[in-house]
Amino acid sequence: MQPTTDADVIVVGAGLAGLVATAELLDAGRSVILVEQEGEASLGGQAWWSFGGLFMVNTPEQRRLRIKDSVDLAWQDWQGTAGFDRPEDFWPRRWAEAYVNFAAGEKRAWLHGMGHRIFPVVGWAERGGYGATGPGNSVPRFHITWGTGPGVTAPFEAKVRDGVARGLVRLAFRHRMEDLLVTNGVVTGVRGSVLEPTTAARGTVTTRTPVRDFEFSAGAVVVTTGGIGGDHALVRAAWPDRLGTPPEKMLSGVPEHVDGSGIAASALAGGRIINPDRMWHYVEGIRNWNPVWANHGIRILPGPSSLWLDAAGNRLPVPLFPGFDTLGTLEHLRTTGHDYSWFVLNTAIIRKEFALSGSEQNPDLTGKSVRDVLGRATAGVPGPVQAFLDHGEDFISAGTLEELVAGMNELAKTSSEGTAPVLSAEAVRREVEARDREIANPFSKDSQVTAIRGARSYLGDRLIRTAAPRPILAPKDGPLIAVRLSVLTRKTLGGLETNLDSRVLGAGGEPVPGLFAAGEAAGFGGGGMHGYRSLEGTFLGGCLFSGRSAGRAAGR
C-alpha cells in the first residue's frame, strides 16, 4: 500500500519560479501545496518588484526596429559573457544552450498565449565593448513587459488562484520550511514552523515568531526559495577573490528573508551546491529615499552619457561606461579601496537617460498608461527620478562645477569607510572639459563619445534612452548633477546542481530522488547557467524556464 500524502507535489517558495512550477503541475492535473514563509501580500516574490525585462532573440519587436538577431549570435554572446571554465559547468552550459534556444523559440509565444505583452521598444543592456567574442549583448534584446514585474507574474498567479478554486492548490503562507523529509533516501516532504500571522505589506519585514510546527508529505518537492542577497554576511562569505574584497557598505536589492535557507536545506538532504562564488551585484545602487525593506537600494538603469568617476575622481577605464559591463565595473571599483563611485552629468542627460529599476519606480509602464509612457520622450525629468533628485541622499545638484564638487566632498564624509578622498575641483574639471571637447565635432578618440553616437544610431535609444551628445557643461543643459553610487546586492548565480529536468543532483552526479529545484536556488538552472556574468533579462527568464521544466518533470 502506498503511504498517504498531503499532495502530489510540494512547491517551496511562491516567487515567479514557484508560481510557474505550480501552474505547470496544474496543467498536468496534479495537486500542489505551495509553501511560503511570507504572507499572501508577497505572492510573486522578487519578480513582482522587477522592471520586467526579458531576454528574447529574433522577435517581431526586434525586427520592427531593424535589429538582426539569431540563435548563433545570441549563443556567441552568452558564451563570451558566461566564461564557462570549470568541470562543474557541464549542466550549467547545457542549461544555457537550452535557454538561448527557448528565448529564440517558444518563449514569446508561450507567454503571449497567457496574456503577456511587450513594450515595443527593445532595450540594450550589458553592451560589453571588448570585442565580438567578449561579454555583452551584440544587439538589443531586453524586452520590457507591459505591466513590468506584476505583468510577468499575473498570468501565473491567475492560474494558481484558479487551482485554489478547483481544490487542487493549497496556499500555505507563513509556513517556513526548515528541513526536507527524507525516507529511505527519497525526499518525501517538508517540515518547519508556522509563523504568526502578518498583515505586513509586500517586502516589509515580518515577525519570525513560530506558533506551531508543520509537516507535509508528497510524491516530490520543488525548491524555489531564491538566493542569498538579503543576507550580507552570506554574500561576503561567498565573495570571490577575483572581485577583490567585499564592500564594507552595501545596499540590499532584496528583502532580508532572501537568505539561502532553501538551498541549505536541500544540501542537507543530499543536493550538491556548485559555483557558490558566482554572484551578480549592481554598481549603480542608490539608497531608496522611501524604503520598503531595510537598507533598501534601487538600481539606476543608465544611458551611456554620464561621466563615471571613482571615489578619488578618476575616470573609469574603457569600456566601463554606464550600462556596458556590470561585473567588470564591480571588479575594477573593488581595486580602488572605496565602496562608492560617482556619476557626473547634467539635467539634459538625467531627463533622457535615467530610469530606475523596479515596478514601483515605473508607474507608467506598470500601470500600462500609453499616455504616460509617451510622455517619457517629450516631458521633463520622470517623476520617480525627480523624487530622488528632491529627496535622495545620494543626489547633488549645483549651478557650477566647483559647487558640485564641494557637495560631493561633503556627501563623501558620510561614508562608513572613515576617511574619504577629497576630490579636486580642478581635476574633475579637467576630466569633464576633456570629455566635452570630444563632443565638439563628429570625430573623436574618446570611446565613450563614440559609444554614445553608436547608441543613437539605434532608433530605440535615440527616442528614449540616449541624450544627444552635448557638453556636460553646456549652460542651457544645467544644473549639474552628481550621483553617489554604491554596490547593490542582487542575485546568486550558483546554486543547486540540476539536470535538464530540474532534478537536484547529489555529490555523485545522480539525482536525489523526489527533489527538484528551479529559479535562483538552482542558479536559474543547472547550478549556474549564467556562468560568471549575466546578459540581463535572464533572471526572470531563468525563473520562467527552470520553473516550467521543474513543474513539467515533477508532474510526470
Side-chain angles (χ1 to χ4, degrees), residues 42-94:
S42 293
L43 195 65
Q46 295 315 296
W48 190 93
W49 293 103
S50 74
F51 194 44
L54 293 171
F55 174 95
M56 295 190 195
V57 178
N58 192 25
T59 63
E61 289 75 21
Q62 287 176 301
R63 293 192 291 272
R64 279 195 289 269
L65 292 166
R66 300 182 180 178
I67 299 167
K68 296 181 180 180
D69 202 3
S70 67
V71 172
D72 288 343
L73 183 61
W75 182 228
Q76 172 181 297
D77 288 347
W78 194 288
Q79 293 180 94
T81 301
F84 296 125
D85 61 358
R86 298 173 176 174
E88 295 89 344
D89 286 329
F90 174 79
W91 284 112
R93 182 184 173 92
R94 291 194 65 185

Side-chain angles (χ1 to χ4, degrees), residues 381-543:
V381 178
V385 177
Q386 185 62 53
F388 274 88
L389 276 169
D390 295 339
H391 307 294
E393 66 180 71
D394 295 309
F395 286 72
I396 303 165
S397 296
T400 69
L401 194 61
E402 286 68 27
E403 292 171 334
L404 188 74
V405 172
M408 293 164 72
N409 283 326
E410 283 299 309
L411 183 56
K413 293 177 183 178
T414 67
S415 168
S416 63
E417 303 165 58
T419 303
V422 177
L423 298 174
S424 160
E426 291 182 2
V428 174
R429 179 174 287 279
R430 277 197 302 273
E431 289 285 9
V432 175
E433 288 183 342
R435 178 264 190 201
D436 285 358
R437 290 188 191 101
E438 297 289 318
I439 296 288
N441 60 70
F443 307 99
S444 179
K445 67 179 182 181
D446 189 303
S447 296
Q448 184 175 4
V449 173
T450 300
I452 294 167
R453 290 177 174 143
R456 285 182 59 83
S457 68
Y458 166 49
L459 177 62
D461 274 359
R462 188 164 70 251
L463 286 174
I464 62 173
R465 290 296 288 143
T466 306
R470 295 175 51 83
I472 288 176
L473 296 178
K476 71 176 185 178
D477 290 338
L480 298 171
I481 296 167
V483 187
R484 181 179 61 181
L485 308 171
S486 301
V487 175
L488 176 70
T489 65
R490 188 57 64 89
K491 294 299 180 186
T492 307
L493 298 188
L496 295 164
E497 185 177 27
T498 59
N499 64 18
L500 289 177
D501 281 334
S502 292
R503 300 187 70 181
V504 175
L505 305 179
E510 295 298 318
V512 177
L515 184 59
F516 299 77
E520 193 174 352
F524 301 92
M529 76 172 190
H530 297 93
Y532 291 95
R533 284 178 165 94
S534 164
L535 284 173
E536 288 285 27
T538 57
F539 299 139
L540 290 177
C543 289

Side-chain angles (χ1 to χ4, degrees), residues 335-387:
T335 69
T336 67
H338 302 285
D339 291 349
Y340 65 94
S341 60
W342 299 99
F343 277 168
V344 174
L345 60 154
N346 58 29
T347 302
I349 293 173
I350 204 170
R351 178 189 302 127
K352 186 86 168 184
E353 297 197 1
F354 268 37
L356 301 172
S357 181
S359 55
E360 82 283 16
Q361 300 295 335
N362 294 274
D364 51 353
L365 288 164
T366 303
K368 302 181 181 180
S369 171
V370 174
R371 183 189 65 182
D372 291 347
V373 169
L374 290 175
R376 286 195 179 214
T378 58
V381 178
V385 177
Q386 185 62 53

Side-chain angles (χ1 to χ4, degrees), residues 19-39:
L19 291 177
V20 174
T22 302
E24 291 293 332
L25 286 161
L26 288 170
D27 285 345
R30 303 302 184 189
S31 61
V32 183
I33 301 175
L34 182 55
V35 174
E36 169 58 49
Q37 67 174 334
E38 297 303 304

